[in-house]
Amino acid sequence: MWSYSNPVSIHAGDGALSALKKLLGNNSYGIVTYRSAYFSSLCDELTEIIGRPPLHIVDGVEENPSVNNLRQLCDEIASLEHKPQMMIALGGGSAIDSCKVLCAGGGDFDKVYNFIRGSGSIDQAIEFICIPTTAGTGSEVTCWATVWDPENDKKYSLSDASLYPVAAILEPRLTHTLPLTVTVSSGLDALSHAMESLWNVHRNPLSRLYAEEAIRELICYLPRLANDINNQEARERVQQASMLAGLAFSNTKTSIAHSISYAVTLEKGLAHGLACSFTLPTLLRANVDDPFIRLSIEKAFLLPCEEAAEQLENMLQQLGISTLPSSYGYRQDEWQALVDNAIAGERGKNYSGDSAQLKSHFDFIYQQTDSAQCL
Ligand SMILES: NC(=O)c1ccc[n+]([C@@H]2O[C@H](COP(=O)([O-])OP(=O)(O)OC[C@H]3O[C@@H](n4cnc5c(N)ncnc54)[C@H](O)[C@@H]3O)[C@@H](O)[C@H]2O)c1
Ligand SMILES: [Fe+2]
């Protein structure tokens, strides 16, 4: 038995922003975004489209929102005499996830903080609309948010069905200014979401359809975009593929590549999209015997699974990303311990493949590197 559901209404393509006015109705609204001239001008544009100003703009979003940063943003909302009836998240995963935290507690950070550490409950106090300006996290169609706690080397996941956005508006032009590094790393995050929904105990026929389409688009258009950052067609295709990957993993959650990535990001500071994608070719090779994955990968890559793994590895290398854990400073024993921990972690438990087989594939990489060094 399986089920799939996702309640987010999606508006995508040139002119999608025009849907905003109707989606907000007569509700008062606030905007959650970063503090920069570009995002301030985007806020002005939204105000013009909506035809009335926001009650408040929370513009202190930081990259990888932390406990301390989110507490400040929540306090800002809590101190308002009139809270907005709806919020608009304008930005990448960091802005969207910050907005989810604000909306979950209605500005009460401790309520959300207790909930993510296992006590109490949340009842989403404020509804919200997402306008992503990066293309990768899929957060515009998921009901969870990542909360970072760098002081304690921890990462929390806020997850509740009430945290689905009301709507996602994908206006391609808003991603045109995204720098190359963020474009590549967030695009690879999307690829990882799609692939992670395949080697996943929660996969189902619908998540599989979304994943296949997302992978097909990303392997074609992400390298094109990286070679020509002004390619507008590639921008739009990557943005929509990222949303499709979001629809896939909104019902499965992520799996072992993400579980591994959290430690790599915390220990080595590697960007999320790179940390959760450099292991994908090895994971694919470890799963070629799963007929379900084989078929999906062959449909997406139009290649036999083994060749698809090679193409993926070449693509990552062309994007400047090594698929060797040693390149990120891990000795074999350190990497083995990290993978063991990742398998035991919350997302690692979603992995549908054989853990021993996965570990032997990583060991093989180290043996190959050792013998290459002896030549
Ligand atoms: N909730 C989820 O489902 C989910 C999934 C994956 C990742 N995440 C989280 O999302 C965060 C990463 O989000 P992200 O990769 O989208 O990046 P981000 O939101 O952290 O933004 C990265 C940088 O890009 C800038 N930026 C964003 N859009 C821009 C634009 N159009 N033009 C110019 N600059 C722009 C931002 O100001 C910021 O400096 C992490 O905290 C990660 O843990 C959440
Ligand atoms: Fe991710």
Side-chain angles (χ1 to χ4, degrees), residues 34 63-64 92-94 97 133-134 137 139 142 144 148 174 177-178:
Y34 321 95
E63 279 182 37
N64 299 328
S94 298
D97 287 5
T133 63
T134 62
T137 69
S139 187
T142 70
W144 48 76
W148 296 88
L174 300 192
T177 43
L178 202 58

Side-chain angles (χ1 to χ4, degrees), residues 136-137 189 192-193 249 254 258 262 272 276:
T137 69
D189 190 17
S192 184
H193 295 154
F249 92 115
T254 52
H258 272 70
Y262 298 134
H272 175 71
C276 69

Side-chain angles (χ1 to χ4, degrees), residues 13-17 20 34 38-39 41-43 45-46 49 88-92 130-135 169-179 183 235-236 239:
D14 288 337
L17 265 186
L20 189 54
Y34 321 95
Y38 174 64
F39 283 94
S41 73
L42 284 185
C43 289
E45 191 184 335
L46 297 193
I49 289 170
I88 298 172
L90 174 67
C130 293
I131 306 180
T133 63
T134 62
I169 300 180
L170 278 65
E171 176 72 57
R173 116 184 112 77
L174 300 192
T175 63
H176 289 180
T177 43
L178 202 58
T183 301
R235 279 275 183 215
E236 180 168 354
Q239 186 188 41

Side-chain angles (χ1 to χ4, degrees), residues 195 198-199 256-257 277-291 293-294 297 301 303-317 321-325 351 353-366 368-369:
M195 296 187 76
L198 292 178
W199 41 70
I256 185 68
S277 62
F278 80 87
T279 53
L280 293 178
T282 308
L283 272 155
L284 184 49
R285 289 191 176 104
N287 280 284
V288 291
D289 292 333
D290 180 326
I293 293 173
R294 238 194 133 74
I297 290 296
F301 281 77
L303 283 174
C305 215
E306 292 78 2
E307 288 177 41
E310 203 153 325
Q311 184 186 325
L312 184 58
E313 191 155 62
N314 290 338
M315 180 185 122
L316 287 168
Q317 276 162 7
I321 295 147
S322 168
T323 54
L324 303 176
Y351 183 50
D354 182 82
S355 305
Q357 205 169 339
L358 172 61
K359 281 162 52 179
S360 73
H361 275 266
F362 279 125
D363 287 343
F364 180 65
I365 294 184
Y366 275 94
Q368 272 188 321
T369 321

